[in-house]
């Protein structure tokens, strides 16, 4: 065998060894990545229940918030309604007071014994 043939064989064998080594290294790296991904998935699965509980709690609090807001709006509407009723009653009372004052004045005008600043009739 010539030297050139031996060198070619050595180079080919070296290239094959390097390729096989690279292939084995990539395979080992992929196995490591798969194991790491599995660990990440396991931790995520452990956290899934806790996250679900947090979401449920958030929805519960949001529902309570909506209920409280609706209740507050209903109470505000009731307060507005009562305020309007109070205004109507105040107006009625003011009118009644004015009518009553007129009746008192009329009674004073009719009563001869009431002092209204004019002299009583001497007849």
């Amino acid at each position: 065998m010539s030297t050139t043939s031996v060198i070619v064989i050595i180079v080919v064998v070296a290239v094959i060894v390097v390729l096989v080594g690279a292939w084995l290294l990539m395979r080992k790296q992929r196995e490591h990545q798969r194991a790491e991904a599995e660990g990440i998935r396991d931790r995520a699965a452990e956290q899934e229940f806790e996250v679900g509980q947090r979401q449920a709690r958030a929805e519960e609090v949001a529902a309570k918030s909506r209920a409280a807001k609706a209740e507050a709006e209903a109470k505000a509407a009731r307060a507005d309604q009562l305020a309007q009723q109070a205004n109507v009653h105040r107006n009625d009372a003011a009118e009644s007071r004015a009518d009553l004052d007129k009746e008192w004045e009329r009674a004073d005008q009719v009563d001869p014994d009431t002092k209204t600043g004019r002299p009583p009739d001497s007849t």
Side-chain angles (χ1 to χ4, degrees), residues 15-121:
V15 168
I16 290 173
V17 168
V18 168
L19 289 175
V20 168
W23 180 75
L24 289 174
L25 184 64
M26 286 178 20
R27 185 175 166 188
K28 186 176 181 179
Q29 185 179 12
R30 284 187 187 149
E31 287 299 318
H32 175 72
Q33 288 173 335
R34 284 186 186 107
E36 183 179 358
E38 185 65 26
I40 292 170
R41 287 186 183 100
D42 288 344
R43 288 189 299 275
E46 290 171 2
Q47 294 175 358
E48 185 74 31
F49 179 72
E50 184 179 325
V51 169
Q53 284 183 323
R54 286 181 183 166
Q55 287 175 327
R57 178 70 178 146
E59 287 301 317
E60 178 185 348
V61 171
K64 286 181 181 179
S65 171
R66 287 189 299 271
K69 185 176 180 181
E71 184 179 339
E73 289 173 355
K75 286 185 178 183
R78 179 66 178 142
D80 288 344
Q81 185 181 37
L82 290 172
Q84 289 175 357
Q85 288 177 359
N87 283 335
V88 168
H89 289 299
R90 275 192 211 104
N91 290 340
D92 288 347
E95 288 176 13
S96 295
R97 173 58 63 193
D99 290 344
L100 183 61
D101 288 345
K102 286 179 186 176
E103 287 297 309
W104 283 110
E105 287 177 16
R106 186 168 160 249
D108 286 345
Q109 289 173 358
V110 171
D111 188 357
D113 296 330
T114 302
K115 296 181 182 176
T116 59
R118 356 173 245 165
D121 291 333

